[in-house]
Amino acid sequence: MEIRVTDTQLLDWAGDSLAIGLFEDAVELTGDLATLDQKFAGLLTELIAEEEFKGKLASSVGTRVGGTATVRKVILVGLGKKEALKLDTLRRAAANAARTAKKQKSKTLALSLPIWNNDPAQTAQALAEGVQLALYQDNRFKSEPEENSIQVEQVDLLGLGGQEAAVSLANQICSGVILARQLVAAPANSVTPVTMAETATQIASEHGLQIEILEREDCEKLGMGAFLAVAQASDLPPKFIHLTYKPEGTPKRKLAIIGKGLTFDSGGLNIKGAGSGIESMKMDMGGAAATLGAAKVIGQIKPDVEVHFISAVTENMISGRAMHPGDVIKASNGKTIEVNNTDAEGRLTLADALVFTEKLGVDAIVDLATLTGACVIALGDDIAGLFTPSDTLATELEKAAQIAGEKIWRLPMEERYFEGLKSGIADMKNTGPRPGGSITAALFLKQFLKETTWAHLDVAGPVWADKENGYNNAGATGFGVRTLVHWVLNEA
Ligand code: BES
Ligand code: MN
Ligand code: ZN
């Protein structure tokens, strides 16, 4: 699919589907729209009245134009209240129009939508993202594609002539989001620690990043007893992935991104029981997927900042070699952990990843992890939990997420709750009481850093969508890639 920017006017565009954005309670047709309505013999007025179209957020109506018009179909997209217009509303409106155009069997689509905040670049980028993310389809695991329907091949962004750079930025970002979606959606017999390492190696060679894959023996030498304890029941070799993007010259800042990379989480001997969603646990590498997706984007944009992308990848399985509940293990910073629950495995893999990353001497570390069901209970499916002792980093990430259209919400790192992780035998337990479970998980992670500025995003909810919503299809969302990219670009 090709996305073009053009100064062609609404009245002059010729093609299959023309989508027009209208604000709530401002659906009376004036100016060009009145002229267009005349050209279409009053069709727009009729459509608005018949469908009781009010311009409400996320609403849309479409119809055939007919006659001799140069446009075959028209789509009206609701934008909600004018005062409340957000960049993400436009991303969603573009998605909405694209889905409708596809149903209309259109090959070409034009978007006539307002410019957000007098910022044509951000607007063009958001529209291009919305269209591509909504039209993404995953047929990899079907013997035949489900539908052989006509695809939208060309999208024209009207009134946005000259914004080519914004569209190519959107294309780069979407390539990372789509990679993350593909990795998360693929089942655990398809995406394994081995294939994750292969994907990272491919990103490195395609976009000129450095790559280091630590094998089990390398991790042993580094004393990564926590990561390896999780990996020990799997028949597949663990892979510790370290990708480095280095700009030319001396970088302004050095950043690191860590992703939890459990290609499957059975729970271990504390096996996930009925109703725990064990069959969805192929998505437990959503943090690593976002990390690799971000690496792919950063490798293309080449900003003036050094970025390390890290994931300790394995699966949490059962076998005669599995961790026993109650085992005491030792992480690479020397701290001992009583594993009172083998299903709290993500924090064990992250512990060694954090120790490794801090030694790189970076200015800031952000980790993304599908870490706790408790975070989903707290914030629901759409919102990631943000945990950090640093107000500055919190603000940076909130700003990045805002512009990306991804939702994050800061939760407190209440130090007293660390008491819940006190162990009678080791330095700490890996699991505390159920209340505040996402907070004790974050406090656990903090034990593996000395002083580096750090934030943790618990993405257990938003990496997966049960239903289609805006530009997210049902299934993997690629959550995190866009926030990470904006964060890195803002630091450059
Ligand atoms: N991968 C899960 C967390 C998860 C749950 C992600 C639901 C996505 C959806 C994690 O490894 C886990 O099992 N966490 C336990 C922790 C508990 C044992 C302290 C949980 O949340 O139940
Ligand atoms: Mn688990
Ligand atoms: Zn897990």
Side-chain angles (χ1 to χ4, degrees):
M1 185 201 353
E2 194 196 358
I3 298 181
R4 309 190 306 187
V5 287
T6 168
D7 280 329
T8 301
Q9 300 294 306
L10 181 75
L11 292 165
D12 301 326
W13 189 78
D16 294 332
S17 287
L18 171 62
I20 301 163
L22 290 173
F23 287 110
E24 190 169 341
D25 302 325
V27 295
E28 54 289 334
L29 305 168
T30 57
D32 276 0
L33 286 180
T35 315
L36 190 70
D37 193 32
Q38 274 168 18
K39 216 173 122 183
F40 292 170
L43 181 80
L44 298 181
T45 306
E46 215 171 89
L47 183 64
I48 289 169
E50 254 177 35
E51 298 282 338
E52 299 186 63
F53 180 76
K54 299 275 191 303
K56 288 228 187 313
L57 203 59
S59 67
S60 70
V61 293
T63 189
R64 241 175 67 84
V65 177
T68 56
T70 55
V71 171
R72 287 201 312 121
K73 314 260 167 115
V74 66
I75 304 166
L76 300 179
V77 186
L79 299 173
K81 296 257 194 290
K82 190 170 185 171
E83 322 79 72
L85 182 69
K86 292 194 194 114
L87 189 58
D88 206 48
T89 306
L90 292 180
R91 216 181 258 117
R92 287 164 164 266
N96 199 345
R99 290 190 203 281
T100 310
K102 188 166 181 255
K103 283 189 203 117
Q104 292 176 332
K105 311 241 176 258
S106 291
K107 286 186 179 162
T108 61
L109 163 69
L111 299 181
S112 177
L113 291 165
I115 289 181
W116 172 78
N117 204 22
N118 291 320
D119 193 334
Q122 291 280 14
T123 302
Q125 191 189 327
L127 299 182
E129 288 174 2
V131 166
Q132 291 185 71
L133 296 179
L135 293 180
Y136 164 73
Q137 251 186 317
D138 187 0
N139 290 321
R140 289 173 300 163
F141 298 97
K142 307 251 187 206
S143 57
E144 280 168 41
E146 203 154 73
E147 36 182 342
N148 254 332
S149 65
I150 296 160
Q151 303 288 326
V152 178
E153 287 164 8
Q154 184 191 300
V155 181
D156 288 336
L157 309 183
L158 304 187
L160 288 165
Q163 295 303 329
E164 285 82 1
V167 172
S168 69
L169 183 56
N171 294 346
Q172 291 167 334
I173 289 177
C174 289
S175 75
V177 177
I178 285 169
L179 172 66
R181 285 185 182 181
Q182 289 184 322
L183 291 171
V184 172
N189 65 347
S190 169
V191 162
T192 66
V194 175
T195 73
M196 287 290 280
E198 284 167 3
T199 301
T201 306
Q202 196 182 337
I203 293 169
S205 67
E206 265 172 33
H207 305 295
L209 280 73
Q210 295 170 13
I211 178 116
E212 185 189 23
I213 308 279
L214 304 185
E215 306 294 338
R216 192 193 306 268
E217 309 73 62
D218 304 313
C219 297
E220 272 164 9
K221 278 184 199 136
L222 291 169
M224 294 186 175
F227 171 44
L228 293 177
V230 176
Q232 73 196 25
S234 171
D235 285 337
L236 304 173
K239 300 280 177 182
F240 188 103
I241 298 172
H242 177 198
L243 276 164
T244 310
Y245 164 73
K246 279 196 174 140
E248 276 174 34
T250 322
K252 289 192 195 122
R253 302 252 292 156
K254 291 186 186 183
L255 307 174
I257 296 165
I258 305 176
K260 171 176 168 182
L262 267 292
T263 57
F264 188 70
D265 178 13
S266 71
L269 284 175
N270 292 104
I271 195 162
K272 288 187 181 292
S276 65
I278 189 170
E279 70 288 349
S280 69
M281 282 302 145
K282 63 177 185 180
M283 55 74 137
D284 212 15
M285 32 59 76
T291 302
L292 293 184
K296 186 175 171 71
V297 182
I298 296 301
Q300 292 171 75
I301 299 178
K302 307 201 186 300
D304 200 8
V305 49
E306 182 172 311
V307 193
H308 297 263
F309 304 90
I310 286 149
S311 186
V313 188
T314 186
E315 37 170 30
N316 187 21
M317 300 294 282
I318 48 174
S319 84
R321 279 175 287 123
M323 286 188 281
H324 317 86
D327 278 0
V328 175
I329 59 178
K330 191 187 265 191
S332 44
N333 66 345
K335 296 221 171 154
T336 58
I337 304 157
E338 178 191 358
V339 182
N340 60 325
N341 191 324
T342 61
D343 198 9
E345 84 299 334
R347 61 196 75 181
L348 300 176
T349 66
L350 289 166
D352 283 327
L354 286 163
V355 172
F356 177 92
T357 306
E358 181 156 50
K359 288 189 200 142
L360 300 171
V362 294
D363 299 304
I365 303 173
V366 174
D367 81 71
L368 279 86
T370 49
L371 204 61
T372 66
C375 196
V376 189
I377 299 299
L379 298 173
D381 277 340
D382 290 355
I383 308 171
L386 165 64
F387 300 84
T388 176
S390 163
D391 293 344
T392 313
L393 185 53
T395 308
E396 285 172 18
L397 288 169
E398 282 163 349
K399 212 177 112 195
Q402 170 79 38
I403 208 82
E406 295 184 317
K407 293 185 178 122
I408 66 175
W409 194 259
R410 192 174 180 187
L411 293 169
M413 296 196 59
E414 187 62 40
E415 283 292 342
R416 196 184 67 80
Y417 292 177
F418 191 68
E419 283 171 21
L421 294 176
K422 283 233 166 92
S423 164
I425 183 166
D427 295 342
M428 68 193 96
K429 299 191 290 190
N430 72 333
T431 309
R434 257 159 71 86
S438 61
I439 299 177
T440 42
L443 291 170
F444 178 91
L445 297 180
K446 190 164 169 268
Q447 307 310 306
F448 300 89
L449 288 171
K450 290 185 189 134
E451 53 189 12
T452 309
T453 305
W454 157 78
H456 157 60
L457 285 165
D458 193 330
V459 296
V463 297
W464 194 264
D466 289 335
K467 286 193 290 238
E468 169 186 308
N469 177 14
Y471 43 85
N472 283 335
N473 304 323
T477 61
F479 186 92
V481 174
R482 290 179 295 128
T483 296
L484 289 171
V485 169
H486 284 287
W487 175 59
V488 170
L489 296 185
N490 290 343
E491 299 290 302

